[in-house]
Amino acid sequence: MRASIYRNFLKILYPATTTKTSNSRIRNIMSESDQSIGFDTPRLVTKKILAKLQHEGDGAVVRRGIGRSEQKFLDPFLMLDDFSVSPPAGFPDHPHRGFETVTYMMQGGITHQDFAGHKGTIHTGDVQVKDFRRGNESGQHFRFSSSLFRLILSFFFLFSFTVQWMTAGRGIIHSEMPAGEGAQTGLQLWINLSSKDKMIEPKYQELLSDDIKRAEKDGAEVRIIAGESMGVQSPVYTRTPTMYLDFTLKPRAQVHQNIPESWNGFVYIIEGEGVFGKTNSSPSTAHHVLVLGPGDGLSAWNRSSKPLRFVLIAGQPINEPVVQYGPFVMNTEAEIDQTIEDYNYSKNGFEMARFWRSQ
């Protein structure tokens, strides 16, 4: 009965839905007739999706590009939200299991807390790379009170960072709330985990802005969240092999980025307009997702008088069944039912759910 009630509640909150990278090559556009791309099979845009505004969480607004009716999944990617949240709105206490989330701040900050004592604020400013793992189930727990344990963890884990790469694994409960006045904006990407990794212990990688690798050439700049571009490699470990690149192209610049041929990929345009795939394609504008077809690389041109900013995201397909029920992503309906039971009865990864509330 309790599982049924919780299932109905989740239907309201969340709509139900059933390595390394090669170097990039950058060139400035010398003439409109320069059609030399350098890929054996250039990736072309196969679908264009406008990320429309919708309400999520408690008063937050998102533009959802992946995870909507036009594009439910793009293996291994489950969701991409371009979010904007202002106090008192936010994303209060909620669970996850079976996948990873990547939060990338564009403006302002989001304060994250979880039920194991991890706390930090994701800003557009500083960053530090660090991992966090929950105590295992074999009895290797600290022998002092949980309140003191949480106090010590809060002291050590209260940092500011720009990118949070969270592996929810077997289970996490956390909150994500605005850290300042006005609109706090960013991107959140959900990446699926393979069946063998869905029940691993939770883990965090948190990047300070100054430590995010950057490269620039001929009017094209890239921030390398994951993967490699222009010969520069991100330090982030991705359990599901993933590329996450944030490009800014000055007017009249172009970029050519290699992508492993077996990977799926897409572009999300943050600002400006650009031409993607081939030189005679129609320009695409901000807030569009461009799903890419097969090939070994993507070309993009900025022919406008203003900067073009976009993220290129690609990953190795998992090729397994996906059963998603809101914040839970497993391989079968039976696993979803078990997850709901685990959450309701605070077991199998959700032991601290019974007592924890975010501050």
Side-chain angles (χ1 to χ4, degrees):
M1 175 64 74
R2 293 180 64 184
S4 176
I5 293 172
Y6 185 68
R7 184 184 290 272
N8 291 332
F9 173 69
L10 284 178
K11 283 183 178 179
I12 298 173
L13 288 181
Y14 304 92
T17 57
T18 71
T19 344
K20 185 175 180 180
T21 311
S22 301
N23 294 344
S24 65
R25 289 155 293 184
I26 310 296
R27 294 194 309 274
N28 205 37
I29 290 184
M30 302 305 295
S31 83
E32 291 296 327
S33 62
D34 181 7
Q35 308 259 332
S36 177
I37 293 175
F39 298 123
D40 293 333
T41 310
R43 287 188 180 239
L44 305 181
V45 176
T46 60
K47 184 186 292 187
K48 182 188 293 189
I49 305 162
L50 176 63
K52 299 177 182 177
L53 291 171
Q54 64 184 67
H55 293 280
E56 285 293 322
D58 184 4
V61 176
V62 306
R63 290 182 178 273
R64 180 159 296 168
I66 302 292
R68 55 185 303 117
S69 59
E70 297 93 329
Q71 188 72 47
K72 289 188 180 297
F73 305 120
L74 184 64
D75 190 10
F77 306 111
L78 303 166
M79 189 190 80
L80 178 74
D81 277 355
D82 181 347
F83 65 83
S84 177
V85 56
S86 302
F91 304 94
D93 304 359
H94 58 280
H96 292 296
R97 174 181 276 181
F99 62 100
E100 298 182 295
T101 69
V102 185
T103 304
Y104 183 28
M105 291 305 301
M106 300 290 163
Q107 174 181 304
I110 292 289
T111 295
H112 165 273
Q113 300 181 55
D114 75 22
F115 69 172
H118 185 275
K119 183 176 182 179
T121 298
I122 315 172
H123 279 303
T124 52
D126 301 329
V127 176
Q128 177 177 8
V129 180
K130 62 198 308 324
D131 289 348
F132 172 76
R133 293 179 183 271
R134 193 174 63 81
N136 63 34
E137 298 301 318
S138 63
Q140 298 178 15
H141 298 282
F142 292 98
R143 300 298 183 182
F144 43 78
S145 71
S146 61
S147 60
L148 178 59
F149 178 50
R150 291 175 187 172
L151 178 62
I152 292 174
L153 282 175
S154 295
F155 175 78
F156 281 109
F157 293 128
L158 184 57
F159 294 106
S160 294
F161 45 93
T162 296
V163 178
Q164 182 195 73
W165 200 294
M166 183 184 81
T167 303
R170 66 184 305 185
I172 201 79
I173 299 177
H174 72 163
S175 64
E176 300 158 293
M177 301 300 289
E181 297 301 319
Q184 320 293 302
T185 64
L187 302 177
Q188 186 168 94
L189 176 70
W190 289 13
I191 308 174
N192 198 15
L193 288 170
S194 66
S195 56
K196 66 181 177 61
D197 292 329
K198 285 188 177 295
M199 295 298 285
I200 62 174
E201 297 294 328
K203 174 183 177 180
Y204 292 92
Q205 297 174 87
E206 296 163 349
L207 303 176
L208 298 174
S209 181
D210 290 343
D211 293 331
I212 295 176
K213 302 295 185 180
R214 294 172 172 82
E216 183 175 3
K217 187 176 181 181
D218 296 335
E221 179 183 4
V222 60
R223 289 163 58 91
I224 304 149
I225 310 304
E228 183 179 340
S229 185
M230 301 189 202
V232 179
Q233 178 78 39
S234 167
V236 170
Y237 168 72
T238 63
R239 192 168 290 275
T240 300
T242 303
M243 167 193 293
Y244 194 142
L245 305 175
D246 178 1
F247 284 103
T248 299
L249 272 60
K250 293 179 180 179
R252 312 292 294 174
Q254 65 178 257
V255 63
H256 305 283
Q257 172 67 46
N258 287 358
I259 304 170
E261 291 193 59
S262 62
W263 289 17
N264 291 327
F266 68 94
V267 164
Y268 179 70
I269 304 173
I270 299 169
E271 63 176 316
E273 72 171 36
V275 173
F276 295 86
K278 56 183 180 180
T279 57
N280 60 351
S281 297
S282 299
S284 298
T285 55
H287 309 308
H288 279 89
V289 167
L290 310 179
V291 178
L292 304 177
D296 57 349
L298 173 71
S299 296
W301 296 264
N302 181 6
R303 293 179 178 154
S304 74
S305 60
K306 297 180 180 180
L308 164 66
R309 186 180 183 187
F310 64 92
V311 290
L312 169 60
I313 298 172
Q316 181 175 299
I318 295 173
N319 296 319
E320 292 181 354
V322 175
V323 180
Q324 179 177 351
Y325 203 88
F328 304 139
V329 182
M330 304 301 288
N331 296 106
T332 67
E333 290 284 355
E335 290 171 341
I336 290 291
D337 291 339
Q338 183 62 56
T339 297
I340 293 172
E341 179 180 316
D342 291 345
Y343 176 71
N344 282 337
Y345 292 98
S346 302
K347 62 181 184 177
N348 294 331
F350 293 112
E351 284 79 1
M352 296 186 70
R354 185 174 302 168
F355 311 103
W356 181 81
R357 299 295 182 273
S358 62
Q359 302 298 314

